[in-house]
Amino acid sequence: DDRVAFVGGIDLSRWRWDTPEHRAEDSRRIDPDGKPYPPFHDVMFAVEGEVAARLADLARTRWRRSRGRKIRAAGKLDSNPWPGSVEPRLRDHPVAIARTEPAHRDRAAVDEVMRLYLDSIAAARSYIYIENQYFTARCLADALGERLEETDGPEVVLVLPKRTGGWLEQATMDVLRGRMVQQLQDSDRHGRLRVFYPHQPGLRDACISVHSKILIVDDRLLRIGSSNTSSRSMGLDTECDLAVESADRGDRVERFICEQRRVLLAEHLGCTPDKLARAESVESGLIAVIEALRTEGRSLRPLDCSVPEHIDTLVPDAGIVDPEEPLSPDYFVSNYVPREGRRSGRRRLVIFLVVIAGLFALAAAWRWTPLHEWLAPQRLAGLIAAIPVGYRAIAAVAGFVIASLMMVPVTLLAVIGGVVFEDWQAYVYVLLGALVSAAAGFGAGRAVSRDTLDRMSGSRLEELSKRLAERGTVAVALLRLVPIAPFTVFNLVAGASHIGFRQFIVGSLLGLAPTLAAITLFSQSLWALLKSPSLAGIAAVLIIGGALALMTHLVRRWLRSG
């Protein structure tokens, strides 16, 4: 009703509910399927009044842009929807709104989130306290590093998760985080940097998921919102943060911000806000207070952000994994092509992108035209039955290659192969077709962009290409298991890199073999079960599915450890 608004990091999804205790075991912390999940830490702002009305306007604007329909404002209402169970901590004070919006069509980019971060860091005198899910934004690392190099600069305290979400995030964003933290540590000439994670005994291999997006500076500014300290949140994603600022030293707003900081730190340190306040009266500086209250139980512990070198070499530059603006051709040229090679490099890049655009056009044709009906299993089975036995393998592989080059998902082709062909033939045809298609794409990528890359001496793309070549086989195998790019696009990009053909094929074999085996054999068993239901068939499907899932898991662990 334009009266109350919530802004922060809490998504309307599963795995979000928790209490400030973040207990290792809590019977209430279960997902809709009844499965328990690890502790979750996040923070929101609840506001009312004019700022809520402005946020309502912003929500309506975003809805109109995405859905093309207008939502009417609520108008004046007598009822007050503010929740009665929530006691306001601060009344009658202005609230700032900071947004990130990427440039789109005739709309200019909005970078208020980034500028507020940079201005706040520059204005800090005593301390900078950050809680965040990620820490990968180079612009923020640079700004913090400059303050750490100052003789009398502020203390910097980061509270980050021990690990981010799934293994994909851990293999990408955590690696980028390690690079940024290392940069800060190199700048910390005066010992004013601490990086912590919240520890809760009894979690074993799990950890508290820090999902909050908080910035507190000198007890004078409090900022809570949706933006991560990542490059995406600075320019690519659509974000919204709220901030309140103290006008005078010792005023009610400063007391409010101090109270919130104490509540947060006391929660992480396993103590009370009063105990933290007493420590502040004895110790000098935020870091000294935290160190005085840290214990072996629930507490903040130093976070080791380093990653093994062989994993670090597999992760591309931050501009690819964590881009700061939409991925346009100009973005790639400005970031990865040196000035002396941009003229010819841009022409080659345009050709490369035209090839990719053509592939996506074929994908669209498959998706939204009757083309996809031609791939129906029953139709294909009838066509294959008419082919002489000696030529079926050639036809199957050729069909796989053509379909994959048309951007038909490889997983769907594997399902079709499992349904159309019998026994071991399905897996052999699908795997062989995937490898032949990969080789064709690799060759096309090398033919289109090899000479362009040869002129990229000293560019970050050149450096990335060389680093991938150092562990080419494992790199390709790992990236085959990581769904970062479509199958055909990845083949083209790999061909344009320094990875050798043998490394590419062997890595593709290692990465594709378990995945395609799981899909083809499982779909084959499931198709047989659907045609002839039986308890034995159900048991076979469960056993095969479980065995192949275990095999895939073990191969992935081996690749990540290798």
Side-chain angles (χ1 to χ4, degrees):
D1 297 341
D2 294 7
R3 299 286 299 275
V4 175
F6 292 82
V7 173
I10 302 178
D11 307 308
L12 300 181
S13 62
R14 65 174 191 164
W15 287 36
R16 293 298 184 262
W17 182 91
D18 202 0
T19 67
E21 288 75 22
H22 300 318
R23 299 170 184 166
E25 302 290 342
D26 193 325
S27 60
R28 299 167 295 174
R29 198 173 60 230
I30 56 175
D31 66 17
D33 296 326
K35 299 178 182 178
Y37 57 89
F40 189 85
H41 174 77
D42 212 333
V43 178
M44 298 282 280
F45 252 137
V47 294
E48 67 173 354
E50 184 181 356
V51 65
R54 294 291 184 90
L55 290 166
D57 288 339
L58 179 60
R60 281 190 287 270
T61 299
R62 291 184 178 177
W63 183 268
R64 185 180 70 252
R65 289 174 180 173
S66 63
R67 300 294 299 162
R69 297 197 301 270
K70 291 184 178 181
I71 301 177
R72 277 186 275 178
K76 292 185 178 181
L77 301 173
D78 294 332
S79 61
N80 185 357
W82 183 270
S85 59
V86 178
E87 177 65 25
R89 304 291 180 88
L90 186 65
R91 296 178 182 270
D92 302 322
H93 187 76
V95 179
I97 302 175
R99 302 162 299 156
T100 295
E101 292 182 4
H104 182 66
R105 294 180 179 173
D106 58 342
R107 295 197 306 270
V110 178
D111 61 353
E112 297 164 352
V113 164
M114 180 179 67
R115 288 190 286 114
L116 181 56
Y117 266 117
L118 296 179
D119 290 346
S120 302
I121 292 171
R125 294 295 173 262
S126 177
Y127 76 86
I128 299 168
Y129 176 83
I130 294 175
E131 282 186 18
N132 212 275
Q133 178 183 9
Y134 303 120
F135 184 72
T136 58
R138 184 168 296 278
C139 64
L140 301 188
D142 290 342
L144 291 170
E146 291 178 2
R147 300 307 313 273
L148 288 170
E149 290 179 348
E150 297 175 7
T151 303
D152 58 349
E155 296 180 330
V156 176
V157 175
L158 305 180
V159 176
L160 309 171
K162 185 177 182 180
R163 294 182 301 274
T164 52
W167 72 271
L168 177 57
E169 286 181 292
Q170 294 167 24
T172 52
M173 299 300 284
D174 283 6
V175 175
L176 299 184
R177 179 180 73 177
R179 297 172 187 171
M180 296 300 104
V181 170
Q182 182 62 56
Q183 176 181 328
L184 290 185
Q185 291 171 340
D186 293 341
S187 300
D188 185 27
R189 302 174 181 176
H190 307 285
R192 299 196 308 268
L193 170 69
R194 295 294 185 276
V195 184
F196 296 112
Y197 73 92
H199 171 74
Q200 176 72 281
L203 286 178
R204 296 183 292 275
D205 293 336
C207 63
I208 296 176
S209 176
V210 177
H211 197 262
S212 50
K213 297 92 169 62
I214 302 172
L215 170 69
I216 307 177
V217 176
D218 296 345
D219 287 356
R220 303 295 300 275
L221 179 125
L222 169 63
R223 168 195 188 134
I224 298 172
S226 70
S227 67
N228 289 305
T229 46
S230 64
S231 295
R232 294 181 60 96
S233 288
M234 300 301 110
L236 176 62
D237 291 339
T238 307
E239 306 286 7
C240 181
D241 293 358
L242 299 185
V244 294
E245 184 179 15
S246 165
D248 299 305
R249 180 64 68 180
D251 63 7
R252 63 190 181 98
V253 181
E254 183 177 6
R255 293 193 298 272
F256 161 74
I257 296 173
C258 177
E259 175 189 350
Q260 304 314 308
R261 175 183 55 78
R262 286 173 177 170
V263 168
L264 283 169
L265 278 175
E267 175 183 322
H268 291 317
L269 291 166
C271 66
T272 64
D274 289 341
K275 184 175 181 180
L276 195 142
R278 290 193 296 271
E280 289 177 357
S281 66
V282 176
E283 304 293 340
S284 176
L286 184 62
I287 291 176
V289 171
I290 294 174
E291 294 292 356
L293 295 175
R294 290 203 307 115
T295 65
E296 290 300 316
R298 183 184 180 186
S299 189
L300 289 172
R301 290 191 174 181
L303 176 61
D304 180 8
C305 293
S306 62
V307 296
E309 182 179 357
H310 66 275
I311 296 295
D312 186 41
T313 59
L314 299 181
V315 178
D317 185 88
I320 297 177
V321 178
D322 184 29
E324 58 189 15
E325 63 181 78
L327 301 179
S328 64
D330 287 340
Y331 175 81
F332 278 110
V333 170
S334 62
N335 280 274
Y336 297 104
V337 181
R339 291 187 179 275
E340 61 272 17
R342 286 186 184 180
R343 189 169 182 180
S344 60
R346 185 183 295 272
R347 184 171 60 253
R348 292 284 183 167
L349 183 61
V350 169
I351 295 173
F352 186 74
L353 292 175
V354 166
V355 172
I356 298 236
L359 293 174
F360 275 108
L362 289 173
W366 172 82
R367 174 65 177 82
W368 287 295
T369 71
L371 181 64
H372 69 278
E373 298 178 0
W374 300 351
L375 297 177
Q378 296 87 344
R379 182 183 181 90
L380 292 177
L383 293 174
I384 290 171
I387 300 175
V389 176
Y391 295 97
R392 286 182 185 176
I394 298 175
V397 172
F400 189 103
V401 172
I402 294 172
S404 66
L405 291 177
M406 295 171 65
M407 299 290 283
V408 177
V410 171
T411 51
L412 176 60
L413 294 176
V415 170
I416 294 174
V419 171
V420 171
F421 296 101
E422 298 180 357
D423 303 327
W424 56 268
Q425 295 177 359
Y427 177 53
V428 172
Y429 293 163
V430 167
L431 181 59
L432 186 58
L435 293 177
V436 173
S437 177
F442 183 90
R446 179 144 297 182
V448 169
S449 297
R450 165 62 70 178
D451 53 350
T452 300
L453 284 173
D454 287 342
R455 288 194 291 269
M456 291 182 180
S457 178
S459 72
R460 281 182 282 175
L461 184 57
E462 175 79 355
E463 180 183 356
L464 168 63
S465 180
K466 291 179 179 178
R467 282 166 50 193
L468 287 175
E470 291 174 1
R471 298 183 61 83
T473 299
V474 176
V476 174
L478 180 61
L479 293 174
R480 283 297 188 199
L481 292 170
V482 178
I484 290 178
F487 181 79
T488 304
V489 173
F490 176 76
N491 297 334
L492 290 168
V493 172
S497 74
H498 279 77
I499 297 175
F501 179 73
R502 185 178 65 178
Q503 293 174 313
F504 173 76
I505 288 297
V506 173
S508 296
L509 177 61
L510 291 174
L512 291 171
T515 303
L516 296 182
I519 297 172
T520 54
L521 297 181
F522 185 75
S523 61
Q524 194 174 65
S525 302
L526 185 61
W527 183 253
L529 175 64
L530 293 175
K531 291 192 297 183
S532 303
S534 67
L535 293 177
I538 295 174
V541 167
L542 294 177
I543 292 173
I544 294 174
L548 292 173
L550 177 62
M551 181 184 70
T552 303
H553 172 71
L554 293 176
V555 170
R556 287 183 174 182
R557 286 189 59 183
W558 173 76
L559 287 171
R560 280 182 282 166
S561 64

